[in-house]
Amino acid sequence: MNLTVIGTGYVGLVTGTCFAEMGHRVTCVDVDEAKIARLREGEIPIFEPGLENLVRSNVKDGRLSFTTSLLEAMADSAVYFIAVGTPPGEDGSADLQYVLAVAREIGRHLRDYAVIVDKSTVPVGTADRVRQAVAEELVRRGVDLPFDVVSNPEFLKEGAAVNDFMRPDRVIIGSDSPRALEIMRVLYADFSRNHDRILEMGVRDAEMTKYTANAMLATKISFMNEIARLCDQLGVDVEKVRRGIGSDSRIGYSFIYPGCGYGGSCFPKDVKALIHVAEGEGIEPLILQSVHRRNEMQKQVLFEKIRDHFGADLPGLTIAVWGLAFKPGTDDMREAPSLVLLEKLLAAGAKVTAYDPEAMASARRELPGSWFQSGRLQLAETQYAALDGADALALVTEWKPFRHPDFAAMIGRMKQPVIFDGRNQYDPGYVKAQGFVYRGIGRR
């Protein structure tokens, strides 16, 4: 099948590449000429394990191509995946200008029946707006062509996106058109060979399912973070609590790890968008508001622990930070807890030396230049170099190389042996036995 994917960001690039890997001919479209030029050479603009090799092999084999012209891509395609960004507005709502712009352009060039697939995360009712935008363009042209709009939300975890796409838990297809459903079923058949993972539902149901899934996962995280704060006050070890409740099959172990807050391009944006939708319908989203507020507070917890330990004497101190990406397996720093920690440490007069296995280029590109120019923020070449002369280490992202460090080497490099563990990676008793002062999240 010939497919067109509009948008070569995280979702679009993974979607197009994985379909190409299954033998489909895929053309990915993006307005960024520099990005398209890089992709044609097999270079990808993001870090995602396994993706770069798949892009290169499928480009080489002719199944995957890239262009800046949607008209060119539409010549041989009848299925169009819209995977452009939906950034949050100031009020938390999802900005649909790019989605609707693509819909209008499809309407201006459509020549035959097509299935238009909303792959971007969009609020309930977006498919109706996409359908209207396409129809209006067809009317302007004076033509009458059949087309269907489908909601096919993505459920990809950064750092495991290729595996998630190739071996999905479920494939949700929202449509009321038997013709479109059959095309989508054929398209996803190779991803459901062991058992049928396809869930068919209405378009609005599918749109709501995506937001609800992310909001539920964010809720579990924020709930456990709130319990961790209570454990801190009561002298309870939250790790014991986590294991105790996780053993209940009704709860499970997923997403109940306390830490210093969630980030990324999905959870923060989607929770705020769902709050905006609820408020627009006259419903006060008490739980969602609390989830968002708790997460914003949780991003400050490491700084608060550092300040409580050292008092007001942060000027003159150097804090080492391990981890800048919002999670392991990605170079994405959007809404990362590290951003809050860096800002507060620098504002308090401390110096910071930071290291991340993959997000160093992102940090140089995205962090304020003034932070570097002042000399108070430096990026280290290695995780251990970040510790040289440090008064404390703050672990923010739980990358695998940070899990079992050489504590003897660490204590020899640091001015003061203090660890603030934002992801509860270390056993408090063991770390203390190595000569460190340890502060975790809800750890006794």
Side-chain angles (χ1 to χ4, degrees), residues 40-62:
R40 285 171 174 165
E41 297 299 319
E43 300 178 22
I44 67 173
I46 58 175
F47 174 76
E48 178 60 41
L51 182 59
E52 186 168 5
N53 288 338
L54 288 181
V55 170
R56 289 179 175 176
S57 64
N58 281 283
V59 168
K60 180 182 177 181
D61 294 341

Side-chain angles (χ1 to χ4, degrees), residues 380-395:
E381 293 295 324
T382 68
Q383 69 183 76
Y384 292 103
L387 302 175
D388 289 339
D391 295 282
L393 164 65
L395 187 146

Side-chain angles (χ1 to χ4, degrees), residues 406-408 411 417 427-437:
D406 185 338
F407 288 106
I411 208 167
D427 177 79
Y430 179 81
V431 173
K432 290 175 71 175
Q434 306 306 306
F436 287 86
V437 175

Side-chain angles (χ1 to χ4, degrees), residues 266-297:
C266 294
F267 287 5
K269 175 175 70 71
D270 294 350
V271 169
K272 287 186 286 188
L274 198 51
I275 289 172
H276 177 80
V277 169
E279 291 175 340
E281 296 297 321
I283 296 173
E284 188 175 3
L286 297 175
I287 293 176
L288 295 173
Q289 290 169 341
S290 297
V291 168
H292 173 66
R293 185 180 175 204
R294 167 51 62 195
N295 191 58
E296 293 301 294
M297 294 170 66

Side-chain angles (χ1 to χ4, degrees), residues 401-442:
F402 301 158
R403 293 184 182 178
H404 297 284
D406 185 338
F407 288 106
M410 292 170 62
I411 208 167
R413 287 175 175 264
M414 297 176 69
K415 187 184 298 183
Q416 299 188 58
V418 184
I419 294 177
F420 297 93
D421 184 356
R423 298 298 176 183
N424 288 351
Q425 289 295 285
Y426 307 131
D427 177 79
Y430 179 81
V431 173
K432 290 175 71 175
Q434 306 306 306
F436 287 86
V437 175
Y438 177 86
R439 298 287 184 270
I441 310 295

Side-chain angles (χ1 to χ4, degrees), residues 167-187:
R167 300 174 180 82
D169 293 326
R170 74 288 203 197
V171 176
I172 290 180
I173 302 173
S175 176
D176 55 5
S177 164
R179 184 177 184 183
L181 283 170
E182 181 58 27
I183 290 173
M184 296 297 290
R185 273 196 163 277
V186 171
L187 189 56

